[in-house]
C-alpha cells in the first residue's frame, strides 16, 4: 500500500542512496536550468514526466467506502490499505476516499461564495481523476437545479493522460456535457487564461500546490548573499534520460520570481511546528546537515505558485481561490526549510529518496504548503488588481462548516473526514467583488456573536478597485457591534487548530 495522502499508514520507508551528487562528465553534452524547471520536467514532461507515465498515479475507487458500516478507525485504515494493495496506485485523493461527500462539501462552500443570482464559473486547476468535478456537479444538479443551469466548470490539466481520464469520469453518461470541459493547458502560462475576464469565478486548487515546482536557495551564513540553484545535467551518448547525471550549481539570486518569493518568505514569522522541531533536533544531534552541502541555510520557495497566482489575478480579477493541501509532511529526508518529499513506487512499496535529483519521471516530488506564505503571495500577486481577503483553516474546521458529517461517521464515532488528514489545511482567498462579499459575511458573523472556527482572518489591503473608505466602514461596523454586544470571544476560537 502506498499513498502520499496516507503516509502514516505505512511502516518507516526504505531510503534509497542518491545518485544526485555524481560528477558531470566533460565529454557529454550538458544543460543548465533553474531547479523549478528541472522539477517541472521531471513531473510533467510529455516524454517521461511522472504524471504522464503509462500507469496513472491517481487512483479511482469503484464504489464509495461504507463509512457507516465500518467499526471505527482501525477498520477504516484497514479498508484503505486493502484498496491501495489492490489498485497499486501512488495515491488516492480525499475527494476519492470520501466520495461523494467531499465534493458535496465543496459545492456547499462554492454556493456560499457566489453573488446572488450570478452564474457560477468554476475553474479547477489539476483535476486529477475528475472525481471532485463529478461530485460537485452531481450535487448542484440534484439539489440546486436553477444554479446548475447557470454553472460552467472548466478543468485545466497539463497531463494529456489525466485530461482524458477526467473527460471519461465526468462525461461518461453525458449528464454534464453542457457545462463541463477539460482545457489541456499549463495553468501558469498566459495562454491558458486568455484575455482579461471580469466575470466572477471560483478557482479550486485541490492537492495542486504540493506538486507545483519550487526553487531552491542557499547561503553559507546569515551574513552571506542568497544563491539560487541551477541544475546541470549530462546527456549520455544513448540519450537515455535514465542515465543522465545531475548536479546542483549555485549562482547569486537574479530570477524575479525567486527574489519575490524570498522577500515574502523572509517577512513570515517562523512557527515551530512538529516537523521543524524534529529537524532542529536532528541537526543538533548531527544526524543531518541543514543545507545538504555540509553547512549553511537552504529554503525551498514556491515560485511556480506565485507565477500561477499572478496569472489568476491578472486574468480573473474577481475571484475566490479555494486551495487545500498538506501543511506538513512526515519522513522528509531532503534537506531544507519547506523541502519536498521524493517518493517512488516499486512493486507496490513506497521508497523515499534523500535527494530530488533522481532520474526524471521516476518519483513524485511534492512539497508542504506554508499557508501563511500563500496568503502573502496572493496579496503580492494581486497588487494593482484589487483587495484581498484571506482565510486559513484546518481541514477539520472547513468540513465542520460545510460537510454533512453523518455521512462519514463510523460506528465507534470516529469520523475520518474530520480526524484523518490532520496535516492538511484550506485557504480561501477572495478578490474584487468577492472581497466585498467576504467583509459583509464577517459583519454578519459579528452581529450574531459567531466566529469562524479554526481560521485565521487576513485583512484587506488598500487598492484601486476596492474603496478604502468602504473597507474601514465595514471594519468599524464590526468593532461597534462587538462592543455594543459586550461580546467576548472564546480564547483561541479564531486560531488554527
Amino acid at each position: 500500500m502506498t499513498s502520499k495522502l496516507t503516509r502514516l499508514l505505512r511502516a518507516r520507508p526504505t531510503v534509497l542512496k542518491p545518485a544526485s551528487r555524481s560528477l558531470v562528465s566533460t565529454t557529454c553534452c550538458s544543460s543548465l536550468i533553474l531547479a523549478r524547471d528541472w522539477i517541472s520536467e521531471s513531473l510533467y514532461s510529455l516524454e517521461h514526466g511522472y504524471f504522464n507515465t503509462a500507469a496513472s498515479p491517481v487512483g479511482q475507487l469503484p464504489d464509495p467506502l461504507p463509512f457507516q458500516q465500518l467499526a471505527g478507525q482501525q477498520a477504516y485504515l484497514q479498508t484503505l490499505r486493502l484498496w491501495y494493495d489492490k489498485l497499486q496506485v501512488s495515491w488516492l485523493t480525499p475527494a476519492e476516499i470520501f466520495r461523494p461527500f467531499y465534493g458535496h462539501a465543496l459545492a456547499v462552500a462554492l454556493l456560499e461564495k457566489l453573488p446572488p443570482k450570478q452564474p457560477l464559473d468554476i475553474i479547477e486547476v489539476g483535476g486529477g481523476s475528475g472525481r471532485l468535478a463529478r461530485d460537485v456537479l452531481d450535487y448542484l444538479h440534484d439539489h440546486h437545479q436553477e444554479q446548475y443551469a447557470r454553472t460552467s466548470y472548466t478543468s485545466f490539466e497539463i497531463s494529456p493522460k489525466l485530461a482524458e481520464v477526467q473527460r471519461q469520469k465526468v462525461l461518461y453518461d453525458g449528464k454534464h456535457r453542457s457545462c463541463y470541459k477539460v482545457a489541456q493547458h499549463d495553468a501558469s502560462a498566459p495562454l491558458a487564461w486568455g484575455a482579461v475576464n471580469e466575470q466572477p469565478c471560483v478557482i479550486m486548487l485541490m492537492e495542486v500546490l504540493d506538486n507545483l515546482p519550487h526553487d531552491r536557495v542557499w547561503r553559507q551564513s546569515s551574513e552571506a548573499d542568497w544563491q539560487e540553484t541551477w541544475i546541470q545535467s549530462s546527456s549520455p551518448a544513448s540519450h537515455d534520460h535514465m542515465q543522465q547525471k545531475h548536479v546542483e550549481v549555485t549562482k547569486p539570486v537574479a530570477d524575479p520570481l525567486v527574489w519575490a518569493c524570498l522577500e515574502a518568505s523572509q517577512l513570515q514569522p517562523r512557527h515551530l511546528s512538529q516537523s521543524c522541531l524534529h529537524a532542529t533536533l536532528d541537526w543538533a544531534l548531527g544526524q543531518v546537515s541543514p543545507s545538504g552541502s555540509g553547512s549553511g541555510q537552504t529554503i525551498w520557495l514556491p515560485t511556480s505558485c506565485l507565477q500561477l497566482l499572478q496569472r489568476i489575478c491578472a486574468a480573473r480579477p474577481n475571484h475566490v481561490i479555494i486551495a487545500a493541501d498538506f501543511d506538513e509532511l512526515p519522513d522528509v529526508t531532503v534537506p531544507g526549510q519547506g523541502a519536498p518529499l521524493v517518493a517512488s513506487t516499486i512493486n507496490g512499496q513506497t521508497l523515499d529518496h534523500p535527494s530530488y535529483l533522481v532520474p526524471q519521471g521516476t518519483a513524485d516530488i511534492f512539497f508542504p504548503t506554508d499557508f501563511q506564505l500563500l496568503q502573502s503571495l496572493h496579496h503580492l500577486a494581486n497588487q494593482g488588481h484589487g483587495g484581498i481577503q484571506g482565510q486559513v483553516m484546518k481541514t477539520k474546521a472547513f468540513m465542520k462548516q460545510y460537510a454533512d458529517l453523518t455521512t462519514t461517521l463510523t460506528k465507534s464515532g470516529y469520523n475520518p473526514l474530520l480526524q484523518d488528514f490532520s496535516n492538511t489545511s484550506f485557504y480561501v482567498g477572495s478578490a474584487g467583488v468577492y472581497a466585498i462579499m467576504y467583509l459583509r459575511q464577517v459583519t454578519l458573523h459579528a452581529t450574531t456573536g459567531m466566529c469562524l472556527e479554526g481560521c485565521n482572518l487576513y485583512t484587506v489591503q488598500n487598492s484601486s478597485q476596492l474603496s478604502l473608505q468602504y473597507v474601514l466602514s465595514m471594519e468599524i461596523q464590526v468593532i461597534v457591534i462587538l462592543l455594543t454586544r459586550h461580546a467576548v470571544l472564546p480564547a483561541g476560537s479564531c486560531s488554527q487548530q
Side-chain angles (χ1 to χ4, degrees):
M1 186 280 299
T2 174
S3 165
K4 79 176 186 181
L5 289 176
T6 54
R7 298 183 60 82
L8 296 180
L9 299 180
R10 61 177 172 81
R12 189 71 179 176
T14 302
V15 178
L16 301 183
K17 294 182 178 180
S20 59
R21 302 295 174 182
S22 302
L23 295 177
V24 178
S25 171
T26 58
T27 61
C28 298
C29 299
S30 63
S31 60
L32 195 64
I33 59 177
L34 277 166
R36 70 170 180 267
D37 296 324
W38 190 93
I39 294 172
S40 180
E41 286 186 7
S42 186
L43 292 176
Y44 303 112
S45 165
L46 294 178
E47 292 78 20
H48 51 257
Y50 177 78
F51 287 103
N52 286 308
T53 56
S56 174
V58 182
Q60 301 182 61
L61 295 173
D63 298 294
L65 296 182
F67 295 102
Q68 295 176 342
Q69 299 175 26
L70 298 177
Q73 182 178 17
Q74 291 305 312
Y76 161 74
L77 297 179
Q78 184 179 12
T79 300
L80 276 187
R81 183 178 291 112
L82 290 174
W83 275 115
Y84 274 110
D85 290 342
K86 184 174 182 178
L87 296 173
Q88 291 293 295
V89 293
S90 296
W91 53 287
L92 294 167
T93 64
E96 192 70 41
I97 292 173
F98 300 112
R99 59 174 285 207
F101 314 115
Y102 191 94
H104 292 178
L106 265 293
V108 173
L110 293 175
L111 291 172
E112 180 183 278
K113 304 302 177 185
L114 183 69
K117 298 181 180 180
Q118 290 291 320
L120 177 55
D121 186 5
I122 305 170
I123 299 173
E124 183 182 5
V125 177
S129 68
R131 168 53 57 192
L132 182 64
R134 179 74 199 201
D135 292 342
V136 167
L137 289 174
D138 280 350
Y139 181 86
L140 295 175
H141 179 274
D142 296 343
H143 300 283
H144 298 273
Q145 277 283 348
E146 290 186 7
Q147 185 57 61
Y148 176 81
R150 298 192 297 265
T151 296
S152 65
Y153 196 121
T154 304
S155 175
F156 284 175
E157 180 54 61
I158 192 173
S159 166
K161 183 178 182 65
L162 288 177
E164 184 56 32
V165 170
Q166 291 162 29
R167 291 188 187 97
Q168 293 178 6
K169 173 68 70 177
V170 182
L171 302 177
Y172 73 91
D173 57 359
K175 183 178 179 180
H176 304 304
R177 191 171 300 277
S178 63
C179 62
Y180 178 80
K181 66 178 180 179
V182 179
Q184 192 177 317
H185 288 302
D186 177 357
S188 63
L191 179 63
W193 299 93
V196 176
N197 187 341
E198 299 284 347
Q199 174 69 35
C201 67
V202 179
I203 298 171
M204 296 198 295
L205 307 173
M206 312 305 292
E207 293 82 48
V208 167
L209 301 176
D210 61 342
N211 279 131
L212 289 182
H214 285 46
D215 272 295
R216 177 186 180 274
V217 294
W218 174 85
R219 64 180 177 183
Q220 184 68 41
S221 67
S222 59
E223 290 77 25
D225 293 332
W226 286 102
Q227 305 280 310
E228 62 190 21
T229 301
W230 294 68
I231 308 302
Q232 189 170 22
S233 302
S234 66
S235 299
S238 64
H239 300 289
D240 182 0
H241 79 280
M242 296 293 290
Q243 302 301 320
Q244 282 187 322
K245 305 297 182 182
H246 311 286
V247 66
E248 293 171 341
V249 177
T250 59
K251 300 180 179 183
V253 172
D255 181 77
L257 287 173
V258 173
W259 265 124
C261 277
L262 183 59
E263 290 180 353
S265 175
Q266 296 300 284
L267 294 175
Q268 295 300 306
R270 292 292 122 204
H271 302 287
L272 285 179
S273 65
Q274 186 177 15
S275 61
C276 292
L277 291 173
H278 288 172
T280 304
L281 180 60
D282 288 343
W283 181 15
L285 295 176
Q287 296 175 2
V288 64
S289 165
S291 71
S293 59
S295 61
Q297 181 184 7
T298 300
I299 301 177
W300 292 86
L301 299 171
T303 45
S304 294
C305 175
L306 174 58
Q307 187 177 49
L308 174 59
L309 292 172
Q310 289 173 339
R311 303 297 187 208
I312 292 172
C313 293
R316 304 300 298 262
N318 297 307
H319 66 262
V320 171
I321 291 176
I322 300 180
D325 227 304
F326 301 102
D327 51 39
E328 184 178 356
L329 289 173
D331 305 330
V332 175
T333 56
V334 177
Q337 177 183 304
L341 198 154
V342 184
S344 297
T345 302
I346 301 176
N347 297 325
Q349 297 297 317
T350 298
L351 303 175
D352 288 352
H353 303 268
S355 170
Y356 64 103
L357 295 177
V358 296
Q360 289 187 320
T362 62
D364 193 0
I365 304 172
F366 54 104
F367 297 81
T369 296
D370 182 336
F371 279 85
Q372 302 303 323
L373 177 58
L374 176 62
Q375 290 181 341
S376 296
L377 295 181
H378 194 189
H379 277 274
L380 179 62
N382 205 58
Q383 286 182 354
H385 299 294
I388 289 290
Q389 282 287 351
Q391 175 185 352
V392 174
M393 49 201 317
K394 296 294 287 185
T395 296
K396 179 179 180 179
F398 184 92
M399 290 302 166
K400 277 187 174 181
Q401 187 170 344
Y402 296 114
D404 179 357
L405 300 180
T406 63
T407 57
T408 53
L409 190 66
T410 64
K411 293 181 179 180
S412 70
Y414 171 76
N415 195 327
L417 186 60
L418 298 180
Q419 295 170 265
D420 201 3
F421 308 111
S422 59
N423 61 332
T424 60
S425 292
F426 273 78
Y427 169 66
V428 181
S430 307
V433 297
Y434 280 119
I436 296 175
M437 286 184 59
Y438 183 81
L439 284 173
R440 290 171 178 167
Q441 291 175 5
V442 172
T443 305
L444 176 62
H445 280 291
T447 60
T448 58
M450 297 169 58
C451 184
L452 298 177
E453 179 186 0
C455 70
N456 290 331
L457 302 183
Y458 212 77
T459 58
V460 70
Q461 291 185 335
N462 183 18
S463 69
S464 59
Q465 293 186 3
L466 189 60
S467 166
L468 178 60
Q469 288 79 9
Y470 177 84
V471 172
L472 290 175
S473 68
M474 294 294 291
E475 292 179 342
I476 290 172
Q477 288 180 46
V478 173
I479 295 172
V480 170
I481 291 168
L482 290 175
L483 291 175
T484 303
R485 290 172 53 86
H486 303 285
V488 178
L489 299 179
S493 62
C494 276
S495 62
Q496 276 190 291
Q497 297 182 2

